[in-house]
Amino acid sequence: MAHKIAVIAGDGIGPEVIGEGIKVLKEIERLDDTISFEFDFFPWGCEYYLKHGKMMDEDGMERLSHFEAIYLGAVGYPGVPDHISLRDLLLVIRKGFDEYINLRPVKLLKGAPCPLKGVSESDIDMVFIRENSEGEYYGTGAWLYRDSPQEVVIQDSVFSRKGCERVIRYAFNLARTLGKSVTSISKGNALNYSMVFWDQIFEEISKEYPDVETHSLLVDAASMFMVKAPKRFGVVVTSNLFGDILTDLGAAISGGMGLAAGANLNPERRFPSMFEPIHGSAPDIAGQGKANPLASIWSASQMLEFLGYKKWADKLITIIEEILEEKKVMTPDLGGCASTSDVGNEVVRKLSE
Ligand code: NAD
Ligand code: IPM
Ligand code: MN
């Protein structure tokens, strides 16, 4: 039976990079009789908002709930306030479909550029598990005495026992499977409720996994170690906001935003999971054919693995590495002069080789 995939290409470079990802998935479908996809395209995003006054249709979540996976480009564009566009499309999906795991590999692929001195592939091989449903992104708060000298804003940060336990346990199980250590990143010295609680739960859960090496770091020190000693990290588990920030840093040390992929997972599969590059809509290069589609193609690889096609998932990573090593067909962010579609076509060509 065909896998039903909802495609939300979104804004800016979103449609450019997702187009290449779809091209690649269609080629795999062509090459493998056992795989078939049914793509449904949803025109939601900032342009849709400017025309219709909403980021997605009212019954959007209900419609998406019938898909196995969502393949997303990027959301957000000048002209629509970011806190509206992201809240009403990206964040509503992550939270509404209880995609509480945001899995982001921070792995230096063969041939990928790295700004750190003396670092090779085996030194940067982490998997970030970012809490993706609550924490600093909970979304409630208040804006009081607006526009007056007494103006006060409150942004709630919500850490539930269930929310912390499940993400930390997921990290430990993954670490066990991969034979890696787990590092928890928090900030208990300053955030005296939320992060003290997080640290306590991390310690509790770690007792269930005596065979797994564990570390606990403060987020400031962790950022320093990611640059100075990235080899210290295997599986990393952290809160929503820290995970957001640290994975851009992770992208910077492992080839850049054009190479950073992410999966928003509902591990129980009660709801669709969503696959997306971690970069945004890149308004500075949108519409110029300069965007690197490899992050989106890597996200497609994550989707293939999720759907049970590990062989094809791995094949795509091998092809990405070949492209990076050969350095013939690369976009400007990687120092090349190829276009977005040149890179997608090269992946397709290599698939059928
Ligand atoms: P960005 O990730 O869009 O861009 C940061 C820098 O990285 C830019 O210089 C851009 O050109 C470059 N870059 C990003 N992706 C690239 C690619 N595939 N190839 C080559 N270069 C690439 O971040 P930003 O500029 O802070 O945000 C732009 C918009 O995107 C904002 O509205 C923001 O809220 C939104 N955003 C959305 C998502 C998402 O949908 N998941 C993620 C991050 C930011
Ligand atoms: C990401 C993005 C989003 C986030 C924004 C656009 C809301 O930066 O996916 O990393 O903070 O999660
Ligand atoms: Mn981010």
Side-chain angles (χ1 to χ4, degrees), residues 113-132:
C114 177
L116 307 180
K117 252 194 301 185
V119 162
S120 63
E121 293 92 52
S122 62
D123 297 323
I124 303 184
D125 189 3
M126 334 175 185
V127 184
F128 264 76
I129 302 300
R130 165 187 178 190
E131 204 295 319
N132 211 31

Side-chain angles (χ1 to χ4, degrees), residues 89-135:
L89 189 52
L90 183 78
L91 298 180
V92 93
I93 294 175
R94 287 183 185 166
K95 195 167 169 183
F97 288 147
D98 205 17
E99 295 167 348
Y100 61 90
I101 301 299
N102 192 330
L103 188 155
R104 297 182 161 185
V106 173
K107 183 175 166 58
L108 185 65
L109 296 183
K110 281 188 220 142
C114 177
L116 307 180
K117 252 194 301 185
V119 162
S120 63
E121 293 92 52
S122 62
D123 297 323
I124 303 184
D125 189 3
M126 334 175 185
V127 184
F128 264 76
I129 302 300
R130 165 187 178 190
E131 204 295 319
N132 211 31
S133 66
E134 53 174 36

Side-chain angles (χ1 to χ4, degrees), residues 321-342:
E321 287 188 316
E322 277 173 27
I323 288 178
L324 294 169
E325 284 189 296
E326 290 164 9
K327 309 209 178 310
K328 285 194 298 233
V329 189
M330 295 195 310
T331 43
D333 57 308
L334 295 173
C337 55
S339 70
T340 308
S341 59
D342 290 339

